[in-house]
Amino acid sequence: MIEISNVSKWYGSFRVLHDCTTRIEKGEVLVVCGPSGSGKSTLIKCVNGLEPYQQGGIVVEGISVGAIGTDLPKLRSRLGMVFQNFELFPHLSVMENLTLAQVKVLGRAPAEARDKGLKLLERVGLKEQAAKYPAQLSGGQQQRVAIARALAMDPIAMLFDEPTSALDPEMINEVLDVMVRLAKEGMTMMVVTHEMGFARKVANRVIFMDGGEIIEDAPTEDFFGKPRSERAVQFLSKILRH
Amino acid sequence: MGALDLSFFTWDLVTGYLLKGFVFSIYLTLIAMSGGILFGTVLALMRLSGRRWLVYPAAGYVNTMRSIPLVMVILWFFLLIPFVIGRPLGAEWSAVITFTAFECAFYSEIMRAGIQSVALGQAAAGSALGLTYGQTMRLIVLPQAFRNMLPVLLTQTIVLVQDTSLVYAIGAYDLLKGFETAGKNFNRPVEAYLAAALLYFVICYALSYSVKRLHTRIAVVR
Ligand SMILES: Nc1ncnc2c1ncn2[C@@H]1O[C@H](COP(=O)(O)OP(=O)(O)O)[C@@H](O)[C@H]1O
Ligand SMILES: [Mg+2]
């Protein structure tokens, strides 16, 4: 469903992504890990065209992301994205956060959008918070709203960029629980995270990045069983100790 | 100079001399403010667009306006417009256009700072939902920029209220002109100018006070 082939990207003369190749099948969960600065965010942002790339290709359900003439807003509306810092719209209520793009992008009627919003808030356990503003919610609640906001667009796949790394430890699980449920329901997911418990539980494959390169791309059992590269072993020993 | 004689201040004076000027000053302020914020926002968006053919004209316009004294812009526009359109434009119309064109340079700098104060992630989140660039700006970034900058925008408006008195240069009938005319006709110029100053003070002080209130309220919301 998502095919990344030999993607390279430069910031000026600095090569952020180096010949990255991987794919995600429908219903698969791909976890991306690697040290800070290794290009994980950049790679995931290339998938929905938030960042351009200079070489290689990314195809999402038959649509080439980098091609001239691709309707990027339309493509993005079909790919849900969840950010490290939630990025809820602070000037809108929780419900308005959920309905805005449904109405403006998908052209749904406001009442229909609200119904959908309420259903999704219920799904992430926040139905009572619909009228509140993002600043009145805890970090964990905000991130769950952000997930609901992305799901409201009925995406064909979800992209997560370190969804729990800005959260206090006690709130991480409430967000991971929602993500695990989503994965079990068959959602196609690309998740940048260092939560290896989550990876073990639901990932089909794990890729490890370093210096803009995909160093390791393996089925989950293999990745944790016998990572082949020295760097992946070192990285895992570091993060698994915590 | 004798003691102040305020006996000529009657209701007739207010309706006969002052009201018309007061209404025009308010009108000029409101139009220059809304037009200034509107066009200022457009200029700010041009400067932030990253496209040279938009950045340079906008920056040139803003910097030019900001380096010329307002009173000269008022005069030039008033004196030159008959040559351009072939007939004179009334002082009032001329003032409205000049003020909007001048103030938008200042409002644009405020809006530019406001837009930059909204985190980049907000625009990314808008785009990620499939909103177009225009929608992201209009629905996500600008409302937040506007809210963040509201106190500064109002402070600029206080300056604007005071600046409207500069239309005396082209003889438009504003608040100050009303007092001046009354002072002349009743031979009480000192009292009239004092009363005018007092009224400007009251208006601007009330505005500053509301800006202060707004500041604390916005601080609470954040
Ligand atoms: N806009 C940018 N301009 C220049 N360099 C950038 C920019 N964004 C990211 N980088 C650099 O690209 C590298 C990869 O960043 P990123 O994808 O955010 O890494 P990660 O998400 O794995 O921590 C880093 O070295 C970072 O400094
Ligand atoms: Mg990152």
Side-chain angles (χ1 to χ4, degrees), chain A residues 73 76 87-91 153, chain B residues 121-122 127-130 139-140 144:
Chain A
R76 291 180 188 132
E87 303 298 351
L88 292 179
F89 306 132
H91 60 303
M153 305 294 284
Chain B
Q122 286 285 301
S127 301
L129 282 165
L139 303 167
I140 311 294
Q144 293 181 57

Side-chain angles (χ1 to χ4, degrees), chain A residues 3 16 26 41 47 74 83 87 98 100 110 115 125 127 159 165 167-168 180 182 188 205-206 212-213:
Chain A
E3 241 187 283
V16 223
K26 191 168 165 53
S41 297
V47 173
K74 184 164 176 202
F83 299 85
E87 303 298 351
L98 267 69
L100 180 76
D115 276 355
K127 205 172 148 196
L159 311 172
S165 53
L167 295 175
D168 293 335
V180 167
L182 204 56
T188 310
R205 280 191 5 268
V206 180
E213 271 181 280

Side-chain angles (χ1 to χ4, degrees), chain A residues 205-208 214-234 236:
Chain A
R205 280 191 5 268
V206 180
I207 65 179
F208 170 75
I214 298 179
I215 306 265
E216 196 84 47
D217 184 345
T220 309
E221 313 83 70
D222 293 357
F223 183 83
F224 290 110
K226 41 172 185 189
R228 279 147 290 185
S229 73
E230 186 62 28
R231 280 187 275 183
V233 174
Q234 271 178 11
L236 277 181

Side-chain angles (χ1 to χ4, degrees), chain A residues 36-37 39-42 84 161-162 192:
Chain A
S36 165
K40 307 178 299 292
S41 297
T42 308
Q84 183 172 354
D161 189 3
E162 303 208 35
V192 177

